[in-house]
């Protein structure tokens, strides 16, 4: 929350609106460069000209995240951070959802209790390994 300042008459009204001042400007600037690259290649706001297939942008985001996890910080094609490129892909997908132009081609979801079962299995394995270490 922003500290109230009684000498600023607009602050109270501003606090009821979208807090754009909380966004990380450096990251937004990087994303603007990535979107500019896309605009040069495909046209500005090209994803709004038709439908967006969710798996295409999910796949792009995941490839950038995987490259980053594997130690490659920068996308060799653009020289931008893989994290920035992943966020940009997700921003396009989210914008398409907001605009109602996203084609949701996700696969059928896993069983709802899958993660709970896997967490339990992980706890069991870790307990067994700790017990074996203490023997």
């Amino acid at each position: 929350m922003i500290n109230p300042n009684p000498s600023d008459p607009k602050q109270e009204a501003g606090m009821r609106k979208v807090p754009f001042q909380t966004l990380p400007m450096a990251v937004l600037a990087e994303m603007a460069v990535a979107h500019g690259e896309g605009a040069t290649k495909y046209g500005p706001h090209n994803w709004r000209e038709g439908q967006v297939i969710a798996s295409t942008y999910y796949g792009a985001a995941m490839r950038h995240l995987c490259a980053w996890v594997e130690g490659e910080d920068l996308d060799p094609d653009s020289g931008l951070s893989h994290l920035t490129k992943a966020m940009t892909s997700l921003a396009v997908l989210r914008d398409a959802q907001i605009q109602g132009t996203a084609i949701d081609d996700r696969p059928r979801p896993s069983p709802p209790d899958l993660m709970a079962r896997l967490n339990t299995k992980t706890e069991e394995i870790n307990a067994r390994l700790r017990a074996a270490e203490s023997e």
Side-chain angles (χ1 to χ4, degrees):
M1 168 141 168
I2 300 169
N3 293 330
N5 181 347
S7 65
D8 184 353
K10 289 195 68 137
Q11 186 179 27
E12 187 176 329
M15 288 174 64
R16 292 189 301 266
K17 297 180 181 172
V18 176
F20 285 108
Q21 69 274 19
T22 64
L23 292 171
M25 288 299 124
V27 175
L28 290 177
E30 285 184 336
M31 288 179 68
V33 173
H35 275 286
E37 175 193 24
T40 300
K41 284 181 175 179
Y42 310 112
H45 302 282
N46 62 84
W47 68 91
R48 285 197 174 175
E49 294 174 12
Q51 293 184 306
V52 167
I53 300 171
S55 61
T56 300
Y57 288 86
Y58 169 78
M62 288 302 296
R63 284 188 293 278
H64 286 294
L65 288 173
C66 289
W68 179 81
V69 165
E70 289 295 321
E72 184 177 89
D73 290 326
L74 301 178
D75 172 44
D77 294 334
S78 66
L80 295 170
S81 166
H82 277 296
L83 296 176
T84 301
K85 298 289 283 197
M87 288 186 293
T88 303
S89 295
L90 294 174
V92 168
L93 177 54
R94 181 63 186 129
D95 186 71
Q97 286 181 319
I98 291 168
Q99 300 299 322
T101 58
I103 296 174
D104 188 346
D105 64 337
R106 289 178 285 183
R108 184 177 42 180
S110 299
D113 67 336
L114 176 66
M115 291 308 290
R117 287 188 288 134
L118 292 173
N119 288 339
T120 300
K121 181 57 71 179
T122 300
E123 289 175 15
E124 292 169 0
I125 292 169
N126 288 335
R128 191 170 56 249
L129 292 173
R130 281 192 299 274
E133 285 177 355
S134 64
E135 292 178 356

